[in-house]
Amino acid sequence: ADTKEIEEKDVVRDKRFRFITLTTESKSLSLVPAEAEAAGKVAFAIDPYKGAASKPFSENTAMVVDMVKKLQSADYAPHVQTLGLTDAVAALKTANDDFVTTFSRRADEKRVRSISDNLKKLRPMTDEAARKLFEAINALYMVNALIENDQAKEKEIGAVIDAVNAEILQFSE
């Protein structure tokens, strides 16, 4: 995910958030007493989250998650419904979830790039270590086969060879 895509998702989320706050503000002026009362309750609930859009992405996300939970709670859902904002709150949750998915994908891409770069640096070192291990095993095998002819050592070296081959096979899958 690139920065532009993340910023676009953030703009959508911020618009959904702003719609809820502006609707709540305008309904506080309603001539229908139930709407004005509900707007007062919802305004109280969302007051701590004002300015969320200007916060860093992670803080903005956390504030939106918390606000949505509050507005969907048994205490506030009836007031949200009175204002006709039930779908708007659900849309805000969806926009926030979409932002989180996109933002997390970028974090995953950065992590994969970092791991890939580290593996490129480590590969020559592990190749050299493996080469030395193979040479040592070969040397032990040759000394035993050509000079010592010790059956017990041959079995031990064979077990080491089998173990190394098993590890190589497992990591190549």
Side-chain angles (χ1 to χ4, degrees):
D2 59 13
T3 302
K4 182 179 179 203
E5 182 182 9
I6 289 170
E7 287 173 353
E8 288 169 355
K9 302 288 184 184
D10 186 47
V11 166
V12 169
R13 174 176 64 180
D14 292 346
K15 284 181 180 178
R16 304 282 183 270
F17 185 94
R18 189 80 175 125
F19 177 80
I20 292 168
T21 59
L22 288 175
T23 301
T24 301
E25 286 177 25
S26 69
K27 293 285 187 168
S28 70
L29 303 173
S30 176
L31 300 175
V32 178
E35 285 183 347
E37 182 183 340
K41 302 277 186 185
V42 172
F44 177 77
I46 64 177
D47 189 59
Y49 308 103
K50 288 194 174 169
S54 64
K55 302 289 185 187
F57 288 144
S58 58
E59 191 175 350
N60 186 353
T61 299
M63 290 175 82
V64 169
V65 166
D66 195 51
M67 187 179 96
V68 166
K69 281 183 187 175
K70 187 182 278 188
L71 294 179
Q72 291 179 333
S73 73
D75 291 339
Y76 291 100
H79 305 298
V80 169
Q81 185 174 6
T82 299
L83 298 179
L85 290 174
T86 303
D87 290 343
V89 171
L92 174 60
K93 181 183 184 321
T94 300
N96 198 48
D97 291 347
D98 194 27
F99 173 84
V100 168
T101 300
T102 304
F103 193 74
S104 295
R105 190 173 68 238
R106 180 170 77 173
D108 289 344
E109 290 167 359
K110 284 183 175 181
R111 182 181 48 77
V112 166
R113 261 194 313 266
S114 174
I115 289 170
S116 179
D117 290 345
N118 287 341
L119 289 177
K120 287 177 185 172
K121 292 175 189 171
L122 292 174
R123 180 63 190 253
M125 291 183 272
T126 58
D127 285 352
E128 179 62 18
R131 187 186 61 73
K132 287 180 180 179
L133 174 65
F134 301 152
E135 286 177 0
I137 291 172
N138 262 348
L140 290 172
Y141 183 81
M142 295 302 285
V143 166
N144 188 57
L146 298 174
I147 298 171
E148 296 176 356
N149 289 320
D150 185 335
Q151 294 295 322
K153 277 188 182 177
E154 185 176 333
K155 284 185 180 181
E156 288 176 12
I157 294 170
V160 169
I161 291 170
D162 290 343
V164 170
N165 285 337
E167 290 296 323
I168 291 170
L169 183 62
Q170 179 174 337
F171 283 105
S172 66
E173 291 179 345

PDB file of all heavy atoms in Angstrom, residues 1 11 17 31 60 66-67 74 93 100 122 128 141 145 154 156 159 161-162 166 173:
ATOM      1  N   ALA A   1       0.851  -1.179   0.000  1.00  0.00           N
ATOM      2  CA  ALA A   1       0.000   0.000   0.000  1.00  0.00           C
ATOM      3  C   ALA A   1       0.894   1.238   0.000  1.00  0.00           C
ATOM      4  O   ALA A   1       1.815   1.331   0.785  1.00  0.00           O
ATOM      5  CB  ALA A   1      -0.882  -0.012   1.238  1.00  0.00           C
ATOM      6  N   VAL A  11      -8.872  10.057   4.464  1.00  0.00           N
ATOM      7  CA  VAL A  11      -9.808  11.124   4.107  1.00  0.00           C
ATOM      8  C   VAL A  11     -11.253  10.609   4.178  1.00  0.00           C
ATOM      9  O   VAL A  11     -12.140  11.293   4.714  1.00  0.00           O
ATOM     10  CB  VAL A  11      -9.495  11.700   2.703  1.00  0.00           C
ATOM     11  CG1 VAL A  11     -10.632  12.549   2.175  1.00  0.00           C
ATOM     12  CG2 VAL A  11      -8.196  12.498   2.740  1.00  0.00           C
ATOM     13  N   PHE A  17     -16.448  10.617   9.949  1.00  0.00           N
ATOM     14  CA  PHE A  17     -16.375  11.145  11.308  1.00  0.00           C
ATOM     15  C   PHE A  17     -17.016  12.536  11.369  1.00  0.00           C
ATOM     16  O   PHE A  17     -17.840  12.835  12.230  1.00  0.00           O
ATOM     17  CB  PHE A  17     -14.905  11.201  11.746  1.00  0.00           C
ATOM     18  CG  PHE A  17     -14.691  11.610  13.166  1.00  0.00           C
ATOM     19  CD1 PHE A  17     -14.555  10.653  14.159  1.00  0.00           C
ATOM     20  CD2 PHE A  17     -14.594  12.949  13.515  1.00  0.00           C
ATOM     21  CE1 PHE A  17     -14.344  11.028  15.478  1.00  0.00           C
ATOM     22  CE2 PHE A  17     -14.384  13.327  14.832  1.00  0.00           C
ATOM     23  CZ  PHE A  17     -14.265  12.360  15.816  1.00  0.00           C
ATOM     24  N   LEU A  31     -36.099  21.416  16.063  1.00  0.00           N
ATOM     25  CA  LEU A  31     -37.343  21.834  16.695  1.00  0.00           C
ATOM     26  C   LEU A  31     -38.079  20.643  17.303  1.00  0.00           C
ATOM     27  O   LEU A  31     -39.051  20.823  18.036  1.00  0.00           O
ATOM     28  CB  LEU A  31     -38.230  22.550  15.677  1.00  0.00           C
ATOM     29  CG  LEU A  31     -37.615  23.818  15.065  1.00  0.00           C
ATOM     30  CD1 LEU A  31     -38.520  24.387  13.980  1.00  0.00           C
ATOM     31  CD2 LEU A  31     -37.328  24.852  16.133  1.00  0.00           C
ATOM     32  N   ASN A  60      -5.555   8.433  15.808  1.00  0.00           N
ATOM     33  CA  ASN A  60      -6.824   8.666  15.138  1.00  0.00           C
ATOM     34  C   ASN A  60      -7.615   7.357  15.080  1.00  0.00           C
ATOM     35  O   ASN A  60      -8.797   7.314  15.420  1.00  0.00           O
ATOM     36  CB  ASN A  60      -6.558   9.214  13.734  1.00  0.00           C
ATOM     37  CG  ASN A  60      -7.815   9.623  12.981  1.00  0.00           C
ATOM     38  OD1 ASN A  60      -8.934   9.414  13.407  1.00  0.00           O
ATOM     39  ND2 ASN A  60      -7.606  10.210  11.819  1.00  0.00           N
ATOM     40  N   ASP A  66     -12.759   3.601  19.588  1.00  0.00           N
ATOM     41  CA  ASP A  66     -13.390   3.843  20.887  1.00  0.00           C
ATOM     42  C   ASP A  66     -14.730   4.567  20.728  1.00  0.00           C
ATOM     43  O   ASP A  66     -15.721   4.209  21.371  1.00  0.00           O
ATOM     44  CB  ASP A  66     -12.432   4.640  21.777  1.00  0.00           C
ATOM     45  CG  ASP A  66     -12.851   4.604  23.229  1.00  0.00           C
ATOM     46  OD1 ASP A  66     -13.090   3.492  23.748  1.00  0.00           O
ATOM     47  OD2 ASP A  66     -12.936   5.677  23.856  1.00  0.00           O
ATOM     48  N   MET A  67     -14.764   5.573  19.871  1.00  0.00           N
ATOM     49  CA  MET A  67     -15.998   6.327  19.671  1.00  0.00           C
ATOM     50  C   MET A  67     -17.101   5.446  19.090  1.00  0.00           C
ATOM     51  O   MET A  67     -18.251   5.491  19.539  1.00  0.00           O
ATOM     52  CB  MET A  67     -15.763   7.535  18.763  1.00  0.00           C
ATOM     53  CG  MET A  67     -16.991   8.436  18.661  1.00  0.00           C
ATOM     54  SD  MET A  67     -16.732   9.881  17.626  1.00  0.00           S
ATOM     55  CE  MET A  67     -17.391   9.302  16.072  1.00  0.00           C
ATOM     56  N   ALA A  74     -25.274   0.132  24.354  1.00  0.00           N
ATOM     57  CA  ALA A  74     -26.682   0.225  24.758  1.00  0.00           C
ATOM     58  C   ALA A  74     -27.025   1.615  25.292  1.00  0.00           C
ATOM     59  O   ALA A  74     -28.167   2.074  25.153  1.00  0.00           O
ATOM     60  CB  ALA A  74     -26.983  -0.842  25.806  1.00  0.00           C
ATOM     61  N   LYS A  93     -17.206   2.880  11.071  1.00  0.00           N
ATOM     62  CA  LYS A  93     -16.495   1.665  11.495  1.00  0.00           C
ATOM     63  C   LYS A  93     -15.887   0.963  10.284  1.00  0.00           C
ATOM     64  O   LYS A  93     -14.721   0.561  10.304  1.00  0.00           O
ATOM     65  CB  LYS A  93     -17.423   0.714  12.242  1.00  0.00           C
ATOM     66  CG  LYS A  93     -16.716  -0.544  12.731  1.00  0.00           C
ATOM     67  CD  LYS A  93     -17.678  -1.496  13.411  1.00  0.00           C
ATOM     68  CE  LYS A  93     -17.001  -2.709  14.007  1.00  0.00           C
ATOM     69  NZ  LYS A  93     -15.931  -3.312  13.264  1.00  0.00           N
ATOM     70  N   VAL A 100      -7.347   0.585   8.539  1.00  0.00           N
ATOM     71  CA  VAL A 100      -6.448  -0.285   9.310  1.00  0.00           C
ATOM     72  C   VAL A 100      -5.885  -1.398   8.421  1.00  0.00           C
ATOM     73  O   VAL A 100      -4.687  -1.690   8.473  1.00  0.00           O
ATOM     74  CB  VAL A 100      -7.173  -0.876  10.547  1.00  0.00           C
ATOM     75  CG1 VAL A 100      -6.365  -1.987  11.188  1.00  0.00           C
ATOM     76  CG2 VAL A 100      -7.470   0.227  11.549  1.00  0.00           C
ATOM     77  N   LEU A 122      22.825 -11.989   5.251  1.00  0.00           N
ATOM     78  CA  LEU A 122      23.166 -13.203   5.999  1.00  0.00           C
ATOM     79  C   LEU A 122      23.518 -14.387   5.103  1.00  0.00           C
ATOM     80  O   LEU A 122      24.291 -15.261   5.511  1.00  0.00           O
ATOM     81  CB  LEU A 122      22.000 -13.604   6.915  1.00  0.00           C
ATOM     82  CG  LEU A 122      21.714 -12.667   8.074  1.00  0.00           C
ATOM     83  CD1 LEU A 122      20.455 -13.105   8.806  1.00  0.00           C
ATOM     84  CD2 LEU A 122      22.894 -12.617   9.037  1.00  0.00           C
ATOM     85  N   GLU A 128      28.952 -19.835   3.708  1.00  0.00           N
ATOM     86  CA  GLU A 128      30.340 -20.126   4.095  1.00  0.00           C
ATOM     87  C   GLU A 128      30.380 -21.105   5.267  1.00  0.00           C
ATOM     88  O   GLU A 128      31.182 -22.049   5.280  1.00  0.00           O
ATOM     89  CB  GLU A 128      31.077 -18.822   4.444  1.00  0.00           C
ATOM     90  CG  GLU A 128      32.519 -19.011   4.877  1.00  0.00           C
ATOM     91  CD  GLU A 128      33.411 -19.635   3.812  1.00  0.00           C
ATOM     92  OE1 GLU A 128      33.054 -19.636   2.609  1.00  0.00           O
ATOM     93  OE2 GLU A 128      34.491 -20.138   4.191  1.00  0.00           O
ATOM     94  N   TYR A 141      34.967 -38.256   7.375  1.00  0.00           N
ATOM     95  CA  TYR A 141      34.565 -39.471   6.677  1.00  0.00           C
ATOM     96  C   TYR A 141      35.756 -40.098   5.943  1.00  0.00           C
ATOM     97  O   TYR A 141      35.978 -41.314   6.010  1.00  0.00           O
ATOM     98  CB  TYR A 141      33.424 -39.160   5.696  1.00  0.00           C
ATOM     99  CG  TYR A 141      32.917 -40.393   4.993  1.00  0.00           C
ATOM    100  CD1 TYR A 141      32.015 -41.238   5.611  1.00  0.00           C
ATOM    101  CD2 TYR A 141      33.367 -40.723   3.705  1.00  0.00           C
ATOM    102  CE1 TYR A 141      31.558 -42.379   4.978  1.00  0.00           C
ATOM    103  CE2 TYR A 141      32.927 -41.859   3.063  1.00  0.00           C
ATOM    104  CZ  TYR A 141      32.007 -42.696   3.703  1.00  0.00           C
ATOM    105  OH  TYR A 141      31.563 -43.824   3.079  1.00  0.00           O
ATOM    106  N   ALA A 145      37.417 -43.651   6.560  1.00  0.00           N
ATOM    107  CA  ALA A 145      37.325 -44.654   5.493  1.00  0.00           C
ATOM    108  C   ALA A 145      38.700 -45.109   5.019  1.00  0.00           C
ATOM    109  O   ALA A 145      38.901 -46.290   4.737  1.00  0.00           O
ATOM    110  CB  ALA A 145      36.527 -44.082   4.319  1.00  0.00           C
ATOM    111  N   GLU A 154      32.047 -44.701  11.613  1.00  0.00           N
ATOM    112  CA  GLU A 154      31.349 -44.604  10.325  1.00  0.00           C
ATOM    113  C   GLU A 154      29.852 -44.421  10.556  1.00  0.00           C
ATOM    114  O   GLU A 154      29.206 -43.601   9.883  1.00  0.00           O
ATOM    115  CB  GLU A 154      31.608 -45.857   9.485  1.00  0.00           C
ATOM    116  CG  GLU A 154      31.006 -45.757   8.087  1.00  0.00           C
ATOM    117  CD  GLU A 154      31.356 -46.962   7.218  1.00  0.00           C
ATOM    118  OE1 GLU A 154      32.395 -47.602   7.438  1.00  0.00           O
ATOM    119  OE2 GLU A 154      30.547 -47.237   6.305  1.00  0.00           O
ATOM    120  N   GLU A 156      28.438 -43.134  13.290  1.00  0.00           N
ATOM    121  CA  GLU A 156      28.254 -41.809  13.891  1.00  0.00           C
ATOM    122  C   GLU A 156      28.322 -40.717  12.824  1.00  0.00           C
ATOM    123  O   GLU A 156      27.484 -39.796  12.801  1.00  0.00           O
ATOM    124  CB  GLU A 156      29.311 -41.549  14.971  1.00  0.00           C
ATOM    125  CG  GLU A 156      29.105 -42.358  16.234  1.00  0.00           C
ATOM    126  CD  GLU A 156      30.220 -42.148  17.242  1.00  0.00           C
ATOM    127  OE1 GLU A 156      31.038 -41.210  17.080  1.00  0.00           O
ATOM    128  OE2 GLU A 156      30.276 -42.933  18.204  1.00  0.00           O
ATOM    129  N   ALA A 159      25.232 -40.799  10.799  1.00  0.00           N
ATOM    130  CA  ALA A 159      24.101 -40.189  11.507  1.00  0.00           C
ATOM    131  C   ALA A 159      24.162 -38.665  11.401  1.00  0.00           C
ATOM    132  O   ALA A 159      23.129 -37.999  11.223  1.00  0.00           O
ATOM    133  CB  ALA A 159      24.098 -40.635  12.970  1.00  0.00           C
ATOM    134  N   ILE A 161      25.618 -36.972   8.966  1.00  0.00           N
ATOM    135  CA  ILE A 161      25.288 -36.656   7.566  1.00  0.00           C
ATOM    136  C   ILE A 161      23.768 -36.704   7.362  1.00  0.00           C
ATOM    137  O   ILE A 161      23.182 -35.811   6.734  1.00  0.00           O
ATOM    138  CB  ILE A 161      26.022 -37.620   6.594  1.00  0.00           C
ATOM    139  CG1 ILE A 161      27.528 -37.327   6.627  1.00  0.00           C
ATOM    140  CG2 ILE A 161      25.468 -37.495   5.172  1.00  0.00           C
ATOM    141  CD1 ILE A 161      28.363 -38.370   5.895  1.00  0.00           C
ATOM    142  N   ASP A 162      23.114 -37.737   7.897  1.00  0.00           N
ATOM    143  CA  ASP A 162      21.656 -37.849   7.765  1.00  0.00           C
ATOM    144  C   ASP A 162      20.943 -36.674   8.441  1.00  0.00           C
ATOM    145  O   ASP A 162      19.970 -36.130   7.901  1.00  0.00           O
ATOM    146  CB  ASP A 162      21.168 -39.176   8.365  1.00  0.00           C
ATOM    147  CG  ASP A 162      21.580 -40.384   7.519  1.00  0.00           C
ATOM    148  OD1 ASP A 162      21.953 -40.192   6.338  1.00  0.00           O
ATOM    149  OD2 ASP A 162      21.529 -41.514   8.064  1.00  0.00           O
ATOM    150  N   ALA A 166      18.677 -33.917   6.605  1.00  0.00           N
ATOM    151  CA  ALA A 166      17.285 -33.702   7.015  1.00  0.00           C
ATOM    152  C   ALA A 166      17.009 -32.212   7.234  1.00  0.00           C
ATOM    153  O   ALA A 166      15.948 -31.706   6.846  1.00  0.00           O
ATOM    154  CB  ALA A 166      16.984 -34.495   8.292  1.00  0.00           C
ATOM    155  N   GLU A 173      11.956 -26.793   1.834  1.00  0.00           N
ATOM    156  CA  GLU A 173      10.517 -26.963   1.518  1.00  0.00           C
ATOM    157  C   GLU A 173       9.784 -25.661   1.602  1.00  0.00           C
ATOM    158  O   GLU A 173      10.071 -24.758   2.292  1.00  0.00           O
ATOM    159  CB  GLU A 173       9.895 -27.975   2.483  1.00  0.00           C
ATOM    160  CG  GLU A 173      10.407 -29.375   2.244  1.00  0.00           C
ATOM    161  CD  GLU A 173       9.796 -30.395   3.220  1.00  0.00           C
ATOM    162  OE1 GLU A 173       9.209 -30.002   4.237  1.00  0.00           O
ATOM    163  OE2 GLU A 173       9.923 -31.579   2.945  1.00  0.00           O
TER     164      GLU A 173
END
